[in-house]
Amino acid sequence: MIEYIVIIVILFITMLMYFKIADKYNIIDKPNHRSAHTQITLRGGGVIFPIAFIIFGFFNFNLMINEYWSFGLGILAICTISFIDDIRTLSNKIRLFVHLISVILLLYFTGAFTLMPFWIWPILFILIVGTLNAYNFMDGINGMTGIYSFVALGSLAYINKEVVQFTDIDFIYYPMLACLVFLFFNFRKKAKCFAGDVGSMGIGFWIIGLVTLLIMRTGEYKFILLLAIYGMEVVLTIIERIILKENIFEAHRRHLYQLFANEKKASHLVISSVYAIVQLLINVFLIHSNYSIWAVIAMVFIPLGCVYLVLKLSLKKKYNL
């Protein structure tokens, strides 16, 4: 416990130091017509996640050198390019190239290249890059990234301790501590900072790495549903935009959480909490169910999808969207 308290203190001090740097160099997020916020806010608070990994590597040096080096290179690469993109817009080709390298390192870390046939590798790459972008798309209101990630990590920690050990527990606890510190500054009506791409991509990469590692160790693909809410929201929104003949690569305000925040003016903290609670309930069912993956998928997505569509259609009708 003393170690974890020390880690929290270090992360807290690091955040305060970053705020001074961001303020000095004007690393801010200005509201625009797509934003769910109305005030200028510091951007890039998600640097706490790669910093948490660096601290993990320092306190677990032997593990870092022997097992986690490839993951470390991957998360630091994707966080570095994302942080640069937070400051200045980069070419899509550059970002995609770094994402490719990072995902290759991630797959090597999880043993996917050894455990899976080569024709599966491109599919895994597409799924991981898609999930990373889903994490980025869903980072639009106060509290969402932090609390949703904390639920995912908490579920993974429970699985690691009570169901099957698939990694060192500190590899899950450190990002959880980072989430707590980040939430202290972000889970507010007026957030002190936003995660930025460095945050959403960083914590997304870490959680995807853990989920992939769990799947490779157990062969249970159902654990991809630990991120079911994000997956469903992004996929259904993409389908909607395709039907409307919109460019799916352009920023938008069509996610359900955006409609609640922007049109209905619901509290960001309430919306984020509801998303996290629903995902937590899914995770509890997922962990303790013995059904086949297809049965679990049906039992999760059919009712959830129906509720999602009813809510979205009613909001669009009410606000003439």
PDB file of all heavy atoms in Angstrom, residues 222 224-229 232 278-279 281-287 289 291-308:
ATOM      1  N   LYS A 222     -14.619 -13.875 -25.680  1.00  0.00           N
ATOM      2  CA  LYS A 222     -15.713 -13.107 -25.092  1.00  0.00           C
ATOM      3  C   LYS A 222     -15.202 -11.879 -24.327  1.00  0.00           C
ATOM      4  O   LYS A 222     -15.947 -10.913 -24.135  1.00  0.00           O
ATOM      5  CB  LYS A 222     -16.543 -13.978 -24.147  1.00  0.00           C
ATOM      6  CG  LYS A 222     -15.827 -14.391 -22.873  1.00  0.00           C
ATOM      7  CD  LYS A 222     -16.749 -15.187 -21.959  1.00  0.00           C
ATOM      8  CE  LYS A 222     -16.058 -15.499 -20.616  1.00  0.00           C
ATOM      9  NZ  LYS A 222     -16.964 -16.255 -19.714  1.00  0.00           N
ATOM     10  N   ILE A 224     -13.435  -9.573 -25.207  1.00  0.00           N
ATOM     11  CA  ILE A 224     -13.445  -8.335 -25.990  1.00  0.00           C
ATOM     12  C   ILE A 224     -14.646  -7.479 -25.595  1.00  0.00           C
ATOM     13  O   ILE A 224     -14.663  -6.260 -25.776  1.00  0.00           O
ATOM     14  CB  ILE A 224     -13.462  -8.646 -27.515  1.00  0.00           C
ATOM     15  CG1 ILE A 224     -13.073  -7.387 -28.302  1.00  0.00           C
ATOM     16  CG2 ILE A 224     -14.832  -9.158 -27.952  1.00  0.00           C
ATOM     17  CD1 ILE A 224     -12.903  -7.636 -29.783  1.00  0.00           C
ATOM     18  N   LEU A 225     -15.672  -8.126 -24.989  1.00  0.00           N
ATOM     19  CA  LEU A 225     -16.866  -7.406 -24.562  1.00  0.00           C
ATOM     20  C   LEU A 225     -16.632  -6.577 -23.304  1.00  0.00           C
ATOM     21  O   LEU A 225     -17.541  -5.878 -22.846  1.00  0.00           O
ATOM     22  CB  LEU A 225     -18.022  -8.397 -24.328  1.00  0.00           C
ATOM     23  CG  LEU A 225     -18.502  -9.161 -25.561  1.00  0.00           C
ATOM     24  CD1 LEU A 225     -19.659 -10.076 -25.195  1.00  0.00           C
ATOM     25  CD2 LEU A 225     -18.922  -8.200 -26.658  1.00  0.00           C
ATOM     26  N   LEU A 226     -15.430  -6.650 -22.742  1.00  0.00           N
ATOM     27  CA  LEU A 226     -15.090  -5.749 -21.642  1.00  0.00           C
ATOM     28  C   LEU A 226     -15.112  -4.299 -22.107  1.00  0.00           C
ATOM     29  O   LEU A 226     -15.124  -3.372 -21.289  1.00  0.00           O
ATOM     30  CB  LEU A 226     -13.708  -6.098 -21.080  1.00  0.00           C
ATOM     31  CG  LEU A 226     -13.603  -7.417 -20.299  1.00  0.00           C
ATOM     32  CD1 LEU A 226     -12.150  -7.782 -20.049  1.00  0.00           C
ATOM     33  CD2 LEU A 226     -14.374  -7.334 -18.980  1.00  0.00           C
ATOM     34  N   LEU A 227     -15.123  -4.105 -23.437  1.00  0.00           N
ATOM     35  CA  LEU A 227     -15.221  -2.774 -24.036  1.00  0.00           C
ATOM     36  C   LEU A 227     -16.463  -2.680 -24.931  1.00  0.00           C
ATOM     37  O   LEU A 227     -16.477  -1.974 -25.933  1.00  0.00           O
ATOM     38  CB  LEU A 227     -13.962  -2.462 -24.851  1.00  0.00           C
ATOM     39  CG  LEU A 227     -12.641  -2.507 -24.082  1.00  0.00           C
ATOM     40  CD1 LEU A 227     -11.465  -2.338 -25.035  1.00  0.00           C
ATOM     41  CD2 LEU A 227     -12.606  -1.433 -23.006  1.00  0.00           C
ATOM     42  N   ALA A 228     -17.516  -3.397 -24.545  1.00  0.00           N
ATOM     43  CA  ALA A 228     -18.710  -3.525 -25.392  1.00  0.00           C
ATOM     44  C   ALA A 228     -19.407  -2.202 -25.667  1.00  0.00           C
ATOM     45  O   ALA A 228     -19.854  -1.956 -26.795  1.00  0.00           O
ATOM     46  CB  ALA A 228     -19.696  -4.503 -24.740  1.00  0.00           C
ATOM     47  N   ILE A 229     -19.523  -1.339 -24.665  1.00  0.00           N
ATOM     48  CA  ILE A 229     -20.253  -0.081 -24.845  1.00  0.00           C
ATOM     49  C   ILE A 229     -19.578   0.801 -25.890  1.00  0.00           C
ATOM     50  O   ILE A 229     -20.231   1.317 -26.805  1.00  0.00           O
ATOM     51  CB  ILE A 229     -20.362   0.683 -23.515  1.00  0.00           C
ATOM     52  CG1 ILE A 229     -21.175  -0.116 -22.497  1.00  0.00           C
ATOM     53  CG2 ILE A 229     -21.001   2.052 -23.736  1.00  0.00           C
ATOM     54  CD1 ILE A 229     -22.615  -0.304 -22.876  1.00  0.00           C
ATOM     55  N   MET A 232     -20.030  -0.882 -29.409  1.00  0.00           N
ATOM     56  CA  MET A 232     -21.379  -0.759 -29.961  1.00  0.00           C
ATOM     57  C   MET A 232     -21.661   0.675 -30.403  1.00  0.00           C
ATOM     58  O   MET A 232     -22.189   0.913 -31.497  1.00  0.00           O
ATOM     59  CB  MET A 232     -22.412  -1.182 -28.925  1.00  0.00           C
ATOM     60  CG  MET A 232     -23.847  -1.159 -29.443  1.00  0.00           C
ATOM     61  SD  MET A 232     -25.061  -1.145 -28.116  1.00  0.00           S
ATOM     62  CE  MET A 232     -24.812   0.505 -27.454  1.00  0.00           C
ATOM     63  N   VAL A 278     -23.154   0.843 -16.816  1.00  0.00           N
ATOM     64  CA  VAL A 278     -23.691  -0.160 -17.749  1.00  0.00           C
ATOM     65  C   VAL A 278     -22.592  -1.126 -18.172  1.00  0.00           C
ATOM     66  O   VAL A 278     -22.797  -2.348 -18.213  1.00  0.00           O
ATOM     67  CB  VAL A 278     -24.328   0.513 -18.979  1.00  0.00           C
ATOM     68  CG1 VAL A 278     -24.746  -0.541 -20.006  1.00  0.00           C
ATOM     69  CG2 VAL A 278     -25.538   1.348 -18.570  1.00  0.00           C
ATOM     70  N   GLN A 279     -21.396  -0.593 -18.460  1.00  0.00           N
ATOM     71  CA  GLN A 279     -20.276  -1.466 -18.824  1.00  0.00           C
ATOM     72  C   GLN A 279     -19.888  -2.367 -17.662  1.00  0.00           C
ATOM     73  O   GLN A 279     -19.554  -3.544 -17.857  1.00  0.00           O
ATOM     74  CB  GLN A 279     -19.077  -0.636 -19.249  1.00  0.00           C
ATOM     75  CG  GLN A 279     -17.887  -1.471 -19.735  1.00  0.00           C
ATOM     76  CD  GLN A 279     -18.185  -2.279 -20.980  1.00  0.00           C
ATOM     77  OE1 GLN A 279     -18.398  -1.714 -22.054  1.00  0.00           O
ATOM     78  NE2 GLN A 279     -18.208  -3.595 -20.856  1.00  0.00           N
ATOM     79  N   LEU A 281     -21.876  -3.574 -15.340  1.00  0.00           N
ATOM     80  CA  LEU A 281     -22.885  -4.637 -15.261  1.00  0.00           C
ATOM     81  C   LEU A 281     -22.631  -5.703 -16.326  1.00  0.00           C
ATOM     82  O   LEU A 281     -22.753  -6.907 -16.059  1.00  0.00           O
ATOM     83  CB  LEU A 281     -24.290  -4.045 -15.428  1.00  0.00           C
ATOM     84  CG  LEU A 281     -24.763  -3.110 -14.303  1.00  0.00           C
ATOM     85  CD1 LEU A 281     -26.110  -2.485 -14.663  1.00  0.00           C
ATOM     86  CD2 LEU A 281     -24.863  -3.868 -12.987  1.00  0.00           C
ATOM     87  N   ILE A 282     -22.263  -5.257 -17.528  1.00  0.00           N
ATOM     88  CA  ILE A 282     -21.924  -6.200 -18.598  1.00  0.00           C
ATOM     89  C   ILE A 282     -20.713  -7.040 -18.187  1.00  0.00           C
ATOM     90  O   ILE A 282     -20.694  -8.258 -18.389  1.00  0.00           O
ATOM     91  CB  ILE A 282     -21.629  -5.453 -19.912  1.00  0.00           C
ATOM     92  CG1 ILE A 282     -22.905  -4.801 -20.454  1.00  0.00           C
ATOM     93  CG2 ILE A 282     -21.035  -6.398 -20.967  1.00  0.00           C
ATOM     94  CD1 ILE A 282     -22.655  -3.884 -21.637  1.00  0.00           C
ATOM     95  N   ASN A 283     -19.715  -6.394 -17.592  1.00  0.00           N
ATOM     96  CA  ASN A 283     -18.494  -7.104 -17.196  1.00  0.00           C
ATOM     97  C   ASN A 283     -18.770  -8.149 -16.125  1.00  0.00           C
ATOM     98  O   ASN A 283     -18.209  -9.250 -16.160  1.00  0.00           O
ATOM     99  CB  ASN A 283     -17.447  -6.104 -16.698  1.00  0.00           C
ATOM    100  CG  ASN A 283     -16.934  -5.197 -17.801  1.00  0.00           C
ATOM    101  OD1 ASN A 283     -17.284  -5.367 -18.972  1.00  0.00           O
ATOM    102  ND2 ASN A 283     -16.119  -4.233 -17.446  1.00  0.00           N
ATOM    103  N   VAL A 284     -19.633  -7.809 -15.169  1.00  0.00           N
ATOM    104  CA  VAL A 284     -19.999  -8.780 -14.119  1.00  0.00           C
ATOM    105  C   VAL A 284     -20.667 -10.002 -14.747  1.00  0.00           C
ATOM    106  O   VAL A 284     -20.336 -11.152 -14.425  1.00  0.00           O
ATOM    107  CB  VAL A 284     -20.927  -8.128 -13.080  1.00  0.00           C
ATOM    108  CG1 VAL A 284     -21.475  -9.180 -12.124  1.00  0.00           C
ATOM    109  CG2 VAL A 284     -20.186  -7.047 -12.298  1.00  0.00           C
ATOM    110  N   PHE A 285     -21.594  -9.747 -15.664  1.00  0.00           N
ATOM    111  CA  PHE A 285     -22.265 -10.853 -16.358  1.00  0.00           C
ATOM    112  C   PHE A 285     -21.270 -11.664 -17.179  1.00  0.00           C
ATOM    113  O   PHE A 285     -21.282 -12.900 -17.161  1.00  0.00           O
ATOM    114  CB  PHE A 285     -23.358 -10.296 -17.273  1.00  0.00           C
ATOM    115  CG  PHE A 285     -23.927 -11.299 -18.238  1.00  0.00           C
ATOM    116  CD1 PHE A 285     -24.746 -12.333 -17.807  1.00  0.00           C
ATOM    117  CD2 PHE A 285     -23.613 -11.220 -19.589  1.00  0.00           C
ATOM    118  CE1 PHE A 285     -25.261 -13.263 -18.693  1.00  0.00           C
ATOM    119  CE2 PHE A 285     -24.122 -12.140 -20.482  1.00  0.00           C
ATOM    120  CZ  PHE A 285     -24.948 -13.170 -20.038  1.00  0.00           C
ATOM    121  N   LEU A 286     -20.381 -10.958 -17.852  1.00  0.00           N
ATOM    122  CA  LEU A 286     -19.389 -11.603 -18.717  1.00  0.00           C
ATOM    123  C   LEU A 286     -18.469 -12.525 -17.921  1.00  0.00           C
ATOM    124  O   LEU A 286     -18.208 -13.667 -18.318  1.00  0.00           O
ATOM    125  CB  LEU A 286     -18.568 -10.522 -19.418  1.00  0.00           C
ATOM    126  CG  LEU A 286     -17.547 -10.964 -20.471  1.00  0.00           C
ATOM    127  CD1 LEU A 286     -18.255 -11.548 -21.676  1.00  0.00           C
ATOM    128  CD2 LEU A 286     -16.688  -9.775 -20.883  1.00  0.00           C
ATOM    129  N   ILE A 287     -18.004 -12.049 -16.796  1.00  0.00           N
ATOM    130  CA  ILE A 287     -17.050 -12.800 -15.981  1.00  0.00           C
ATOM    131  C   ILE A 287     -17.677 -14.052 -15.374  1.00  0.00           C
ATOM    132  O   ILE A 287     -17.046 -15.115 -15.302  1.00  0.00           O
ATOM    133  CB  ILE A 287     -16.477 -11.897 -14.870  1.00  0.00           C
ATOM    134  CG1 ILE A 287     -15.592 -10.800 -15.487  1.00  0.00           C
ATOM    135  CG2 ILE A 287     -15.657 -12.710 -13.860  1.00  0.00           C
ATOM    136  CD1 ILE A 287     -15.208  -9.704 -14.517  1.00  0.00           C
ATOM    137  N   SER A 289     -20.566 -15.645 -16.392  1.00  0.00           N
ATOM    138  CA  SER A 289     -21.407 -16.470 -17.269  1.00  0.00           C
ATOM    139  C   SER A 289     -20.593 -17.609 -17.877  1.00  0.00           C
ATOM    140  O   SER A 289     -19.383 -17.473 -18.089  1.00  0.00           O
ATOM    141  CB  SER A 289     -22.011 -15.623 -18.384  1.00  0.00           C
ATOM    142  OG  SER A 289     -21.005 -15.186 -19.277  1.00  0.00           O
ATOM    143  N   TYR A 291     -21.855 -19.142 -20.745  1.00  0.00           N
ATOM    144  CA  TYR A 291     -22.439 -19.311 -22.067  1.00  0.00           C
ATOM    145  C   TYR A 291     -21.357 -19.208 -23.147  1.00  0.00           C
ATOM    146  O   TYR A 291     -20.266 -18.706 -22.905  1.00  0.00           O
ATOM    147  CB  TYR A 291     -23.514 -18.252 -22.316  1.00  0.00           C
ATOM    148  CG  TYR A 291     -24.643 -18.288 -21.321  1.00  0.00           C
ATOM    149  CD1 TYR A 291     -24.734 -17.330 -20.314  1.00  0.00           C
ATOM    150  CD2 TYR A 291     -25.626 -19.269 -21.389  1.00  0.00           C
ATOM    151  CE1 TYR A 291     -25.778 -17.346 -19.393  1.00  0.00           C
ATOM    152  CE2 TYR A 291     -26.675 -19.292 -20.471  1.00  0.00           C
ATOM    153  CZ  TYR A 291     -26.737 -18.335 -19.481  1.00  0.00           C
ATOM    154  OH  TYR A 291     -27.757 -18.369 -18.572  1.00  0.00           O
ATOM    155  N   SER A 292     -21.697 -19.670 -24.339  1.00  0.00           N
ATOM    156  CA  SER A 292     -20.773 -19.540 -25.460  1.00  0.00           C
ATOM    157  C   SER A 292     -20.643 -18.074 -25.844  1.00  0.00           C
ATOM    158  O   SER A 292     -21.490 -17.240 -25.493  1.00  0.00           O
ATOM    159  CB  SER A 292     -21.280 -20.336 -26.667  1.00  0.00           C
ATOM    160  OG  SER A 292     -22.446 -19.716 -27.212  1.00  0.00           O
ATOM    161  N   ILE A 293     -19.591 -17.760 -26.573  1.00  0.00           N
ATOM    162  CA  ILE A 293     -19.354 -16.365 -26.947  1.00  0.00           C
ATOM    163  C   ILE A 293     -20.504 -15.789 -27.759  1.00  0.00           C
ATOM    164  O   ILE A 293     -20.907 -14.649 -27.557  1.00  0.00           O
ATOM    165  CB  ILE A 293     -18.022 -16.227 -27.728  1.00  0.00           C
ATOM    166  CG1 ILE A 293     -17.780 -14.746 -28.065  1.00  0.00           C
ATOM    167  CG2 ILE A 293     -17.996 -17.106 -28.969  1.00  0.00           C
ATOM    168  CD1 ILE A 293     -16.439 -14.465 -28.691  1.00  0.00           C
ATOM    169  N   TRP A 294     -21.095 -16.602 -28.647  1.00  0.00           N
ATOM    170  CA  TRP A 294     -22.180 -16.082 -29.479  1.00  0.00           C
ATOM    171  C   TRP A 294     -23.432 -15.837 -28.650  1.00  0.00           C
ATOM    172  O   TRP A 294     -24.169 -14.868 -28.899  1.00  0.00           O
ATOM    173  CB  TRP A 294     -22.479 -17.058 -30.620  1.00  0.00           C
ATOM    174  CG  TRP A 294     -21.308 -17.214 -31.535  1.00  0.00           C
ATOM    175  CD1 TRP A 294     -20.546 -18.326 -31.722  1.00  0.00           C
ATOM    176  CD2 TRP A 294     -20.732 -16.201 -32.366  1.00  0.00           C
ATOM    177  NE1 TRP A 294     -19.525 -18.081 -32.613  1.00  0.00           N
ATOM    178  CE2 TRP A 294     -19.617 -16.778 -33.040  1.00  0.00           C
ATOM    179  CE3 TRP A 294     -21.043 -14.859 -32.612  1.00  0.00           C
ATOM    180  CZ2 TRP A 294     -18.833 -16.057 -33.921  1.00  0.00           C
ATOM    181  CZ3 TRP A 294     -20.254 -14.140 -33.504  1.00  0.00           C
ATOM    182  CH2 TRP A 294     -19.165 -14.745 -34.143  1.00  0.00           C
ATOM    183  N   ALA A 295     -23.670 -16.676 -27.654  1.00  0.00           N
ATOM    184  CA  ALA A 295     -24.812 -16.473 -26.766  1.00  0.00           C
ATOM    185  C   ALA A 295     -24.610 -15.202 -25.934  1.00  0.00           C
ATOM    186  O   ALA A 295     -25.546 -14.407 -25.754  1.00  0.00           O
ATOM    187  CB  ALA A 295     -24.990 -17.680 -25.852  1.00  0.00           C
ATOM    188  N   VAL A 296     -23.386 -15.006 -25.458  1.00  0.00           N
ATOM    189  CA  VAL A 296     -23.083 -13.807 -24.667  1.00  0.00           C
ATOM    190  C   VAL A 296     -23.243 -12.554 -25.519  1.00  0.00           C
ATOM    191  O   VAL A 296     -23.824 -11.553 -25.080  1.00  0.00           O
ATOM    192  CB  VAL A 296     -21.651 -13.883 -24.086  1.00  0.00           C
ATOM    193  CG1 VAL A 296     -21.276 -12.559 -23.431  1.00  0.00           C
ATOM    194  CG2 VAL A 296     -21.538 -15.015 -23.083  1.00  0.00           C
ATOM    195  N   ILE A 297     -22.726 -12.595 -26.742  1.00  0.00           N
ATOM    196  CA  ILE A 297     -22.847 -11.458 -27.652  1.00  0.00           C
ATOM    197  C   ILE A 297     -24.311 -11.113 -27.887  1.00  0.00           C
ATOM    198  O   ILE A 297     -24.715  -9.939 -27.844  1.00  0.00           O
ATOM    199  CB  ILE A 297     -22.142 -11.749 -28.990  1.00  0.00           C
ATOM    200  CG1 ILE A 297     -20.625 -11.742 -28.786  1.00  0.00           C
ATOM    201  CG2 ILE A 297     -22.544 -10.730 -30.059  1.00  0.00           C
ATOM    202  CD1 ILE A 297     -19.836 -12.158 -30.009  1.00  0.00           C
ATOM    203  N   ALA A 298     -25.134 -12.140 -28.118  1.00  0.00           N
ATOM    204  CA  ALA A 298     -26.561 -11.919 -28.362  1.00  0.00           C
ATOM    205  C   ALA A 298     -27.247 -11.332 -27.127  1.00  0.00           C
ATOM    206  O   ALA A 298     -28.038 -10.384 -27.224  1.00  0.00           O
ATOM    207  CB  ALA A 298     -27.231 -13.226 -28.762  1.00  0.00           C
ATOM    208  N   MET A 299     -26.938 -11.885 -25.956  1.00  0.00           N
ATOM    209  CA  MET A 299     -27.574 -11.427 -24.716  1.00  0.00           C
ATOM    210  C   MET A 299     -27.139 -10.021 -24.328  1.00  0.00           C
ATOM    211  O   MET A 299     -27.861  -9.328 -23.609  1.00  0.00           O
ATOM    212  CB  MET A 299     -27.277 -12.411 -23.578  1.00  0.00           C
ATOM    213  CG  MET A 299     -28.064 -13.715 -23.689  1.00  0.00           C
ATOM    214  SD  MET A 299     -27.841 -14.800 -22.251  1.00  0.00           S
ATOM    215  CE  MET A 299     -26.267 -15.548 -22.657  1.00  0.00           C
ATOM    216  N   VAL A 300     -25.977  -9.594 -24.794  1.00  0.00           N
ATOM    217  CA  VAL A 300     -25.496  -8.243 -24.478  1.00  0.00           C
ATOM    218  C   VAL A 300     -25.963  -7.235 -25.523  1.00  0.00           C
ATOM    219  O   VAL A 300     -26.549  -6.196 -25.191  1.00  0.00           O
ATOM    220  CB  VAL A 300     -23.952  -8.222 -24.379  1.00  0.00           C
ATOM    221  CG1 VAL A 300     -23.440  -6.774 -24.323  1.00  0.00           C
ATOM    222  CG2 VAL A 300     -23.483  -8.983 -23.146  1.00  0.00           C
ATOM    223  N   PHE A 301     -25.736  -7.538 -26.797  1.00  0.00           N
ATOM    224  CA  PHE A 301     -25.929  -6.537 -27.837  1.00  0.00           C
ATOM    225  C   PHE A 301     -27.378  -6.357 -28.289  1.00  0.00           C
ATOM    226  O   PHE A 301     -27.761  -5.258 -28.689  1.00  0.00           O
ATOM    227  CB  PHE A 301     -25.051  -6.848 -29.044  1.00  0.00           C
ATOM    228  CG  PHE A 301     -23.615  -6.456 -28.846  1.00  0.00           C
ATOM    229  CD1 PHE A 301     -22.610  -7.415 -28.847  1.00  0.00           C
ATOM    230  CD2 PHE A 301     -23.264  -5.141 -28.637  1.00  0.00           C
ATOM    231  CE1 PHE A 301     -21.292  -7.060 -28.653  1.00  0.00           C
ATOM    232  CE2 PHE A 301     -21.951  -4.767 -28.447  1.00  0.00           C
ATOM    233  CZ  PHE A 301     -20.954  -5.732 -28.444  1.00  0.00           C
ATOM    234  N   ILE A 302     -28.190  -7.414 -28.236  1.00  0.00           N
ATOM    235  CA  ILE A 302     -29.572  -7.260 -28.700  1.00  0.00           C
ATOM    236  C   ILE A 302     -30.354  -6.292 -27.804  1.00  0.00           C
ATOM    237  O   ILE A 302     -30.908  -5.296 -28.301  1.00  0.00           O
ATOM    238  CB  ILE A 302     -30.271  -8.628 -28.815  1.00  0.00           C
ATOM    239  CG1 ILE A 302     -29.665  -9.430 -29.974  1.00  0.00           C
ATOM    240  CG2 ILE A 302     -31.783  -8.445 -29.030  1.00  0.00           C
ATOM    241  CD1 ILE A 302     -30.226 -10.829 -30.127  1.00  0.00           C
ATOM    242  N   PRO A 303     -30.428  -6.529 -26.486  1.00  0.00           N
ATOM    243  CA  PRO A 303     -31.159  -5.552 -25.655  1.00  0.00           C
ATOM    244  C   PRO A 303     -30.485  -4.197 -25.596  1.00  0.00           C
ATOM    245  O   PRO A 303     -31.148  -3.150 -25.626  1.00  0.00           O
ATOM    246  CB  PRO A 303     -31.191  -6.225 -24.269  1.00  0.00           C
ATOM    247  CG  PRO A 303     -30.072  -7.206 -24.276  1.00  0.00           C
ATOM    248  CD  PRO A 303     -29.953  -7.673 -25.687  1.00  0.00           C
ATOM    249  N   LEU A 304     -29.151  -4.199 -25.534  1.00  0.00           N
ATOM    250  CA  LEU A 304     -28.412  -2.948 -25.453  1.00  0.00           C
ATOM    251  C   LEU A 304     -28.585  -2.133 -26.728  1.00  0.00           C
ATOM    252  O   LEU A 304     -28.787  -0.915 -26.685  1.00  0.00           O
ATOM    253  CB  LEU A 304     -26.931  -3.246 -25.228  1.00  0.00           C
ATOM    254  CG  LEU A 304     -26.067  -2.117 -24.657  1.00  0.00           C
ATOM    255  CD1 LEU A 304     -26.556  -1.725 -23.269  1.00  0.00           C
ATOM    256  CD2 LEU A 304     -24.613  -2.564 -24.575  1.00  0.00           C
ATOM    257  N   GLY A 305     -28.523  -2.808 -27.872  1.00  0.00           N
ATOM    258  CA  GLY A 305     -28.704  -2.127 -29.147  1.00  0.00           C
ATOM    259  C   GLY A 305     -30.092  -1.535 -29.288  1.00  0.00           C
ATOM    260  O   GLY A 305     -30.251  -0.426 -29.816  1.00  0.00           O
ATOM    261  N   CYS A 306     -31.091  -2.264 -28.811  1.00  0.00           N
ATOM    262  CA  CYS A 306     -32.472  -1.767 -28.876  1.00  0.00           C
ATOM    263  C   CYS A 306     -32.637  -0.507 -28.034  1.00  0.00           C
ATOM    264  O   CYS A 306     -33.243   0.481 -28.475  1.00  0.00           O
ATOM    265  CB  CYS A 306     -33.450  -2.846 -28.413  1.00  0.00           C
ATOM    266  SG  CYS A 306     -33.591  -4.246 -29.548  1.00  0.00           S
ATOM    267  N   VAL A 307     -32.100  -0.532 -26.815  1.00  0.00           N
ATOM    268  CA  VAL A 307     -32.177   0.644 -25.941  1.00  0.00           C
ATOM    269  C   VAL A 307     -31.460   1.825 -26.579  1.00  0.00           C
ATOM    270  O   VAL A 307     -31.959   2.959 -26.579  1.00  0.00           O
ATOM    271  CB  VAL A 307     -31.564   0.330 -24.554  1.00  0.00           C
ATOM    272  CG1 VAL A 307     -31.451   1.610 -23.723  1.00  0.00           C
ATOM    273  CG2 VAL A 307     -32.402  -0.703 -23.830  1.00  0.00           C
ATOM    274  N   TYR A 308     -30.286   1.548 -27.147  1.00  0.00           N
ATOM    275  CA  TYR A 308     -29.486   2.593 -27.794  1.00  0.00           C
ATOM    276  C   TYR A 308     -30.276   3.240 -28.930  1.00  0.00           C
ATOM    277  O   TYR A 308     -30.351   4.473 -29.027  1.00  0.00           O
ATOM    278  CB  TYR A 308     -28.193   1.983 -28.330  1.00  0.00           C
ATOM    279  CG  TYR A 308     -27.350   2.933 -29.150  1.00  0.00           C
ATOM    280  CD1 TYR A 308     -26.381   3.734 -28.550  1.00  0.00           C
ATOM    281  CD2 TYR A 308     -27.513   3.037 -30.539  1.00  0.00           C
ATOM    282  CE1 TYR A 308     -25.609   4.609 -29.296  1.00  0.00           C
ATOM    283  CE2 TYR A 308     -26.748   3.904 -31.290  1.00  0.00           C
ATOM    284  CZ  TYR A 308     -25.806   4.682 -30.665  1.00  0.00           C
ATOM    285  OH  TYR A 308     -25.046   5.556 -31.415  1.00  0.00           O
TER     286      TYR A 308
END
